[in-house]
Amino acid sequence: VDAVDGGSVINSFPKKFVTLFVDDNVTAGQWVMIDTGDTTNGLGASITPALAGGTTGTALTFGVATETVAAGGECRVQTAGKFVDASCNSVSAGDALVVNNASAGRAVTYASGTHTAAPPCGVALESDSANLADVLIIDQGYF
């Protein structure tokens, strides 16, 4: 986002947030997905940690939980922009990310031809350390 009308450039990362019902416990930093099995606040308004396992990933992954919340609560989710310390595994700076790790809510490097069922959900800004990395969340446009 640049300054307007002749002002100097502002170095910032715009962010976007949404607050949604939590169908399953989420931990701050986990990638989350829309839970199509829960209609508490209407279909598409509930979240769960993004699915783990397999090689497909999920197209419903759309952001990162900003707080730890038990099932039944409401969680603020960042849906676009820079997020510090998102859950990631074996990623390097510049890697496109998809969730399909053995741990729910944890992103790994997107591999073309392997992760065929989901688009990348973010980009790593650094290599992960202790399964955490700064990322840019790709705005999926759901909210």
Side-chain angles (χ1 to χ4, degrees), residues 52-97:
T55 59
T56 59
T58 174
L60 296 174
T61 301
F62 71 95
V64 180
T66 64
E67 56 195 343
T68 298
V69 178
E74 292 191 344
C75 182
R76 188 170 189 227
V77 178
Q78 185 172 329
T79 64
K82 181 181 179 182
F83 188 92
V84 175
D85 289 342
S87 183
C88 297
N89 181 259
S90 299
V91 302
S92 298
D95 286 354
L97 303 173

Side-chain angles (χ1 to χ4, degrees), residues 26-120:
V26 296
T27 302
Q30 279 186 319
W31 291 87
V32 296
M33 61 182 271
I34 296 168
D35 184 352
T36 59
D38 187 273
T39 59
T40 300
N41 291 322
L43 192 58
S46 297
I47 61 167
T48 189
L51 292 176
T55 59
T56 59
T58 174
L60 296 174
T61 301
F62 71 95
V64 180
T66 64
E67 56 195 343
T68 298
V69 178
E74 292 191 344
C75 182
R76 188 170 189 227
V77 178
Q78 185 172 329
T79 64
K82 181 181 179 182
F83 188 92
V84 175
D85 289 342
S87 183
C88 297
N89 181 259
S90 299
V91 302
S92 298
D95 286 354
L97 303 173
V98 66
V99 174
N100 85 315
N101 192 273
S103 298
R106 185 170 291 162
V108 295
T109 300
Y110 175 86
S112 179
T114 298
H115 303 118
T116 57

